[in-house]
């Protein structure tokens, strides 16, 4: 029987590639689609795929979709997305929403015991131990879609067949983004257009800026810690401009296992949606002779302080990663709108972390409050600039 799939964030970069993956597989059946406000695209996707139920987080967009698509069912608002997850009898939900708006769908999915294909790293960064504890309590699996984490998931699973305790370190690679090699002073003059030109991946706006600031690796460091239960001191970030090696695992006998492939998100999306099966994916194959050379360098934490900020928020724990994530979202949006320079992004995050400090977090409700407070604090910082 086909696996029933709901795609959240269906109109985004990951969502559209996921539709391609689902459309090619007899083993997957699409049963629900959701987005924020792009109702015309979601209705179009529903018509093209035969999906009968969609959700739009923006209630006004949901109203428009209802008028244009009376033959289908349209759910509206954040509760509508939750209802879509709960009422679709899904076997797996792909959360490809951008930002901490993905936290509620992650909680609803895992709380219901439904497996989660997780692209929305922000929900794991903000939700941390509470999210993984929820998955453990209900038995739902979190299968990463992020290419680095999909790589580590495969390497760790393969290694665990040899028993526990053989893994010493994890390495996640970073392309370095469009400004690799820039000084801090040069970064103060870069434009939004330049920042949106990622050298190896084509992605949505927010993650592309996160890649340029290296905050994306900071988020991924926290994501890796929660997914694999490895201490932060044992997770390395290495800049690898070719984006061919996605992740490595260092073992107790001195061996290092690496996962290689051309940068194409359909590979980790297909892996997550079919896991534990593996299927044919029609993407270009890696030719080592064509790749010729793979290079590595240490990230420049002076020019790109976001990675340093993420490590210290991770170490502080509690609500700090949630605050950092919310402040980053506000600062990135301001940069994309042309309101601040690129180098102001880490400044806003650091000031927000300093203002709100670290607070213990025991319930999801506290995270939503903290996310809200951090957004307000970051907006105050922006207004004061
Ligand atoms: N793109 C990549 O290659 C890549 C790789 C690894 C991980 N990721 C992660 O995957 C997630 C999505 O990235 P992306 O690049 O696909 O982003 P994107 O292209 O900007 O798409 C974002 C999607 O989220 C939807 N959305 C935004 N706010 C929402 C809300 N409040 N409720 C429901 N849906 C909402 C958008 O709907 P509308 O169109 O209606 O606004 C859109 O469908 C991010 O967490 C990112 O870090 C992405």
């Amino acid at each position: 029987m086909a696996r029933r799939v709901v795609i959240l964030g269906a109109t985004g970069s990951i969502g559209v590639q996921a539709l391609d993956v689902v459309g090619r597989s007899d083993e997957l059946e699409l049963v629900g689609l959701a987005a924020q406000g792009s109702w015309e695209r979601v209705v179009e996707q529903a018509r093209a795929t035969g999906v009968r139920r969609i959700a739009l987080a923006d209630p006004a967009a949901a109203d428009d979709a209802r008028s244009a698509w009376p033959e289908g069912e349209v759910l509206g608002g954040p509760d509508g997305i939750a209802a879509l997850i709960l009422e679709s009898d899904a076997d797996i939900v792909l959360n490809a929403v951008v930002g901490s708006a993905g936290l509620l769908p992650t909680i609803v999915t895992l709380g219901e015991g439904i497996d989660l294909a997780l692209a929305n790293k922000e929900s794991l960064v903000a939700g941390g131990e509470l999210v993984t504890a929820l998955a453990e309590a209900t038995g739902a699996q979190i299968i990463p879609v992020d290419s680095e984490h999909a790589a580590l998931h495969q390497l760790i699973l393969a290694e665990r067949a040899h028993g526990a305790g053989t893994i010493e370190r994890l390495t996640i690679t970073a392309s370095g983004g469009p400004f690799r090699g820039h000084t801090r002073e040069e970064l103060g003059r870069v434009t939004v257009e330049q920042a949106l030109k990622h050298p190896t991946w084509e992605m949505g706006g927010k993650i592309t800026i996160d890649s340029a600031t290296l905050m994306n690796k900071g988020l991924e460091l926290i994501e890796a810690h929660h997914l694999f239960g490895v201490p932060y001191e044992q997770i390395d970030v290495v800049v690898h401009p070719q984006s061919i090696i996605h992740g490595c695992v260092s073992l107790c006998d001195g061996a290092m296992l690496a996962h290689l492939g051309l940068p194409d998100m359909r590979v980790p999306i297909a892996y997550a949606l079919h896991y534990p099966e593996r299927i044919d994916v029609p993407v270009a194959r890696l030719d080592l002779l064509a790749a010729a050379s793979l290079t590595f360098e240490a990230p420049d934490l002076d020019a790109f302080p976001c990675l340093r900020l993420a490590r210290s928020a991770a170490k502080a724990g509690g609500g700090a990663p949630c605050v950092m994530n919310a402040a980053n979202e506000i600062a990135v949006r301001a940069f994309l709108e042309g309101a601040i320079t690129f180098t102001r992004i880490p400044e806003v995050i650091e000031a927000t972390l300093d203002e709100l400090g670290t607070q213990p977090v025991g319930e999801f409700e506290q995270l939503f409050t903290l996310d809200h407070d951090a957004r307000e604090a970051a907006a105050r910082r922006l207004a004061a600039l």
Side-chain angles (χ1 to χ4, degrees):
M1 215 164 66
R3 184 175 292 182
R4 294 168 65 82
V5 182
V6 167
I7 299 180
L8 312 177
T11 53
S13 160
I14 292 288
V16 168
Q17 293 178 83
L19 280 167
D20 182 67
V21 167
V22 175
R24 291 170 191 275
S25 174
D26 293 338
E27 288 152 46
L28 302 175
E29 180 191 356
L30 197 57
V31 293
L33 293 165
Q36 156 81 339
S38 316
W39 65 268
E40 281 155 308
R41 289 201 67 198
V42 184
V43 167
E44 202 180 296
Q45 290 173 338
R47 286 202 170 113
T49 56
V51 162
R52 308 292 313 145
R53 186 186 280 135
I54 65 172
L56 289 146
D58 175 357
D63 287 342
D64 288 337
R66 270 183 212 109
S67 317
W69 191 51
E71 64 275 26
E73 183 184 349
V74 182
L75 302 156
D79 291 348
I81 297 205
L84 179 77
I85 296 166
L86 296 173
E87 291 168 17
S88 296
D89 195 19
D91 297 307
I92 189 162
V93 171
L94 169 64
N95 186 351
V97 170
V98 63
S100 63
L103 180 57
L104 182 62
T106 284
I107 296 169
V108 173
T109 302
L110 296 175
E112 197 61 14
I114 302 170
D115 288 345
L116 177 67
L118 186 66
N120 177 262
K121 62 192 91 185
E122 294 93 339
S123 56
L124 201 47
V125 169
E129 289 84 4
L130 292 182
V131 167
T132 48
L134 179 63
E136 218 160 280
T138 62
Q141 304 185 82
I142 306 176
I143 307 135
V145 168
D146 234 336
S147 56
E148 297 77 3
H149 304 74
L152 292 174
H153 191 262
Q154 292 165 62
L155 294 171
I156 291 170
L157 267 181
E159 181 50 28
R160 282 197 182 142
H162 297 284
T166 60
I167 294 172
E168 288 184 346
R169 305 191 70 76
L170 306 182
T171 302
I172 48 181
T173 57
S175 71
F179 304 133
R180 185 173 61 88
H182 280 47
T183 63
R184 204 164 180 169
E185 200 212 343
E186 288 167 335
L187 289 172
R189 296 192 294 271
V190 301
T191 64
V192 171
E193 200 189 7
Q194 289 169 323
L196 284 173
K197 278 206 185 101
H198 194 276
T200 47
W201 295 98
E202 271 200 31
M203 310 177 286
K206 193 251 175 189
I207 185 177
T208 305
I209 303 304
D210 285 347
S211 299
T213 62
L214 289 198
M215 177 53 91
N216 188 43
K217 282 312 130 178
L219 300 176
E220 289 180 8
L221 169 77
I222 300 173
E223 184 186 7
H225 166 77
H226 291 301
L227 282 171
F228 307 120
V230 173
Y232 287 113
E233 310 76 62
Q234 292 168 25
I235 308 175
D236 300 318
V237 172
V238 171
V239 174
H240 165 47
Q242 297 81 20
S243 299
I244 297 290
I245 295 183
H246 305 298
C248 308
V249 169
S250 307
L251 304 175
C252 60
D253 62 357
M256 187 188 243
L257 309 181
H259 182 288
L260 287 77
L262 291 172
D264 190 321
M265 286 308 294
R266 287 173 299 172
V267 178
I269 292 169
Y271 173 75
L273 292 181
H274 291 89
Y275 177 78
E277 307 298 328
R278 210 183 265 277
I279 54 134
D280 292 348
V281 185
V283 295
R285 271 32 181 176
L286 175 61
D287 174 350
L288 286 176
L289 296 179
S293 80
L294 303 179
T295 60
F296 307 93
E297 57 199 67
D300 178 350
L301 299 186
D302 289 327
F304 299 94
C306 282
L307 181 53
R308 177 177 50 73
L309 288 173
R311 263 209 196 267
S312 67
K315 208 166 150 211
C322 174
V323 168
M324 179 197 73
N325 178 67
N328 180 54
E329 287 184 32
I330 295 296
V332 168
R333 194 173 64 203
F335 171 70
L336 283 170
E337 287 168 353
I340 58 169
T341 60
F342 188 77
T343 43
R344 289 282 195 201
I345 296 173
E347 287 177 28
V348 170
I349 299 167
E350 189 157 26
T352 309
L353 277 165
D354 287 347
E355 183 180 331
L356 293 186
T358 304
Q359 319 178 11
V361 173
E363 289 171 22
F364 285 119
E365 210 44 55
Q366 285 171 279
L367 289 176
F368 291 116
T369 306
L370 211 47
D371 178 77
H372 174 265
D373 292 350
R375 282 164 193 277
E376 292 208 326
R380 280 197 300 278
R381 287 283 157 186
L382 285 174
L385 287 175

